Each structure stands twice: as structure tokens, then as C-alpha cells.
Amino acid sequence: MKINLANIKKAQKLLNKSECVAIPTETVYGLAGNAYSDKACKKIYKLKKRPQNNPLIIHYLNDQMLKKDCKFNNNFLKLYKIFCPGPITFILDLKKNSKISKIATNKKNTLAVRFPKHPVTRNLLNKLNFPLAAPSANLSSKVSAVSSSDVKDDFGKKIKYILEGGKSSIGLESTIIDIRKKPKILRLGGLDISVIEKTLNKKITINDNPSKISSPGQFKLHYSPGIPIRLNVKKNKKKEAYLSIKKIKQDKPNFYYLSKNGNLNEAAKNLYSTLRKIKKNKFKSIAVGKIPNKGLGKTINDRLQRASKF
Ligand code: TXA
Ligand code: MG
């Protein structure tokens, strides 16, 4: 994608003034602000209507920039070398002298950090002298935004600027891994955990018990298009939209598919935009067919299950 430097300059100027700007990433769009500024971080919570006990992910250009704020370990470095920049978020210990806003961390002594791959956002990060706090750019508990128009639909004029970056290439949020001691997955995401297991050469536990967890992204109702969803359904009811992993023969107006041939990466990319489209087309509920539970299909099923707790 062609990088528009004037747009990046505009985003940079606003961020330098502790304003919030929506930024493109390869996973989903983020609602970004200066992670060292209490003022900017407060604005993010307010705009998203996000509960204050839900800390923000901090976005860095590279590990050099992160050194000031977090403690590293070998497992982190192993995964960093292979998967970053990319769709993985690490939970690390904060350094005592870190300047990260306590509003962003909710006063925890850990930090969620990520190195986005999108070239527009990397160009922006390279121009800033602070990292960016950026939760997904959607209203709290709703479906994430994968294009600038999704962000506009959720926030309208409340956001000062949306940095254009086209459609997010992965379309699902990053995989979150707590890497401080024994690695555990806190949120399935855009990086398939089997490749993480191969790199670390061990089986990794998935910790998604919401009562114990420190990642509210794992709370029950989340990623919701705002209408009820029924899962593993063979046939839709009258007036219900039907969402299938692939295109099937009888094409009807209430029929939606995620990928023509059932490709799971393509399905991931189209998931949130299709859920938004169904809602926009005024359907009151969605029946979803079976989605293979492998690769990114696991993350798609995770998100749909949470969305179905409506
Ligand atoms: O792909 C992504 O991760 C996107 C893009 C914009 O980078 N961001 C994103 O942010 O999905 P958000 O805020 O929607 O989800 C971040 C999750 C939340 O569930 C939050 O609770 C968790 O990360 N989190 C943040 N700080 C944490 C911490 N210190 N320990 C455990 N979980 C944390
Ligand atoms: Mg989110």
C-alpha cells in the first residue's frame, strides 16, 4: 500500500498534543494515544466507553523502544525474533522507572505490548518519541473495526482523525500470551498457537477462565454485532441471516459466506465486516453454520462463541 506522508504527519501532530487518532493495523484498527500521557489515555477510555479496570495494549516500533519500559526474557526474545512485527501481544513485567501512564495499566505491574506490522502505523511509530496505547477502535464489547469506515460508523465525529490504511489483512485481534513465567495464552487471536508451540517446543496452556483472568477481552459478552447469534446451525429460521464458512449453491438474499472456498485465513479477514454488514442490513439475528476448529478457525469460533452470549 502507498504511504501518504501528509496523513501520517497529521496523525503525528494530533498525537503529540495528547489527542486520540484511529490507526490501521494488520489485525484490527486501534484507537491510539500517547501511552506516556494520562490525558491521552483517559480520552481513549472515554471514547470507547471502556471500563477502567481493562488495561490497554501498548504498541512499539521494536524491542529497542520497549527496553525502557519492560523486562525481557528468553522466551520473549525467541518469539519476538520470529513473529514480530506481527499479530502477537506479550504480557511482560513493567520496569519500575517506566513512564507508561498508570491510567493505561490500571496500576498493574505488567504490560501488554505489541509490534504492529502495518507499514502506515510503523512509519508513524518511527516518527514518535512515545509508544501508542491502542485498544481496538470499536465501542466496548462490540465487534472490532477492520476498516476506516467501520471506525467512522462507531465513533462518527468524536474521533479527531482516522489514519487510512485499507482493510486489515488479518482481521482478528492479536493472540495474547503471558510470557513472564510458564507461557500461557490469554486470548486466541490472529497468530495460530500451534506455530507458537513449535517455536517454544512445548504445549502451551490456554487460560480463558474469565473469573481468574486479568484479560477482560475474555469476559463473556464481547465482539458482539448487537444482535443474537446461534452457532452450529444447519438451517436458519425465517427472517434470520445465515452465515456460512463457504459459498453454497442456493444463493439467497439472507445468505452470507466468509470465504468462497472456505479458506480460514480469508474467513478471518471477512468475519467482522460480514457481521457488521448483516446488522446494517437490518437482520434481527444470525444463524451460523459449523466452522472447522483448526488454525484461525479456532479464533473465529472463540469470537463467535463470545458474541453469542447476547
Ligand atoms: O490486535 C490487537 O491486539 C488490537 C490492535 C489494535 O493492536 N488491539 C486490541 O486491544 O485488541 P483490546 O484492548 O481490544 O484488547 C486488549 C486485551 C484486553 O482484553 C485487555 O484486557 C488485555 O488485552 N490486556 C491489556 N493489558 C493487559 C495486562 N497487563 N495483562 C493481561 N491482559 C491485558
Ligand atoms: Mg477489543
Side-chain angles (χ1 to χ4, degrees):
M1 124 154 250
K2 212 165 162 255
I3 292 185
N4 180 326
L5 290 175
N7 288 352
I8 291 174
K9 191 108 211 157
K10 190 163 174 189
Q12 181 190 1
K13 268 195 181 153
L14 288 164
L15 291 164
N16 280 336
K17 289 195 283 190
S18 290
E19 294 294 350
C20 294
V21 165
I23 57 166
T25 90
E26 73 282 13
T27 57
V28 298
Y29 273 64
L31 180 57
N34 178 351
Y36 293 155
S37 155
D38 287 348
K39 194 176 149 197
C41 293
K42 274 185 193 154
K43 279 186 189 160
I44 294 175
Y45 281 92
K46 197 168 166 213
L47 277 167
K48 261 191 77 103
K49 303 197 173 101
R50 183 180 178 99
Q52 253 162 29
N53 65 355
N54 191 354
L56 307 177
I57 296 186
I58 314 299
H59 298 63
Y60 289 85
L61 182 67
N62 55 37
D63 58 345
Q64 282 309 308
M65 308 297 284
L66 176 66
K67 243 185 197 155
K68 288 179 249 173
D69 294 319
C70 283
K71 295 176 198 162
F72 293 0
N73 60 40
N74 281 339
N75 278 340
F76 163 71
L77 289 168
K78 259 191 215 165
L79 295 177
Y80 176 85
K81 260 191 209 141
I82 297 184
F83 301 115
C84 295
I88 178 166
T89 292
F90 304 94
I91 307 299
L92 291 170
D93 284 316
L94 256 181
K95 282 187 175 168
K96 280 228 164 65
N97 58 356
S98 154
K99 288 195 291 182
I100 295 289
S101 159
K102 300 232 174 346
I103 307 283
T105 59
N106 186 33
K107 301 197 183 107
K108 284 160 88 74
N109 49 17
T110 58
L111 197 65
V113 305
R114 179 162 123 64
F115 309 89
K117 193 170 186 170
H118 197 293
V120 170
T121 287
R122 291 192 68 71
N123 190 301
L124 172 66
L125 281 168
N126 196 22
K127 292 190 166 77
L128 300 172
N129 52 17
F130 47 82
L132 289 174
S136 51
N138 53 279
L139 295 173
S140 191
S141 90
K142 294 289 188 294
V143 170
S144 294
V146 294
S147 70
S148 56
S149 64
D150 290 348
V151 181
K152 231 176 264 160
D153 283 349
D154 275 17
F155 295 100
K157 291 206 173 88
K158 286 192 187 135
I159 292 193
K160 289 252 155 88
Y161 189 57
I162 303 171
L163 186 55
E164 182 58 59
K167 189 166 178 185
S168 296
S169 60
I170 294 175
L172 296 170
E173 302 81 357
S174 59
T175 301
I176 304 183
I177 183 165
D178 186 342
I179 197 87
R180 291 170 300 154
K181 293 187 185 115
K182 190 168 173 257
K184 344 181 245 241
I185 300 293
L186 301 189
R187 175 177 78 182
L188 295 176
L191 184 65
D192 182 357
I193 55 173
S194 66
V195 296
I196 301 179
E197 286 178 332
K198 254 184 220 148
T199 307
L200 296 181
N201 203 10
K202 61 171 126 212
K203 196 106 189 97
I204 303 176
T205 49
I206 300 175
N207 182 0
D208 58 1
N209 176 350
S211 63
K212 277 197 183 158
I213 219 163
S214 43
S215 243
Q218 299 303 83
F219 285 170
K220 276 276 151 64
L221 174 68
H222 224 92
Y223 312 106
S224 165
I227 49 177
I229 296 187
R230 300 191 298 133
L231 302 179
N232 287 324
V233 173
K234 286 209 175 102
K235 214 170 164 261
N236 60 296
K237 293 183 191 157
K238 239 187 180 172
K239 295 190 182 163
E240 202 174 32
Y242 189 79
L243 179 63
S244 155
I245 178 76
K246 65 178 174 204
K247 195 167 184 274
I248 44 180
K249 275 183 199 133
Q250 320 96 322
D251 224 348
K252 293 186 191 140
N254 66 337
F255 180 78
Y256 295 81
Y257 59 87
L258 294 174
S259 155
K260 204 169 172 191
N261 303 313
N263 175 291
L264 289 168
N265 294 342
E266 193 186 326
K269 185 174 172 177
N270 291 327
L271 177 68
Y272 291 147
S273 49
T274 310
L275 292 177
R276 280 176 182 263
K277 205 192 292 168
I278 292 173
K279 173 84 196 308
K280 262 192 189 162
N281 290 346
K282 304 263 188 314
F283 286 96
K284 295 278 181 273
S285 61
I286 311 175
V288 186
K290 198 172 165 63
I291 296 185
N293 205 37
K294 56 180 189 208
L296 288 193
K298 283 189 187 155
T299 308
I300 297 175
N301 281 323
D302 172 83
R303 299 301 190 267
L304 286 170
Q305 261 149 29
R306 288 174 207 285
S308 73
K309 302 284 183 289
F310 187 78

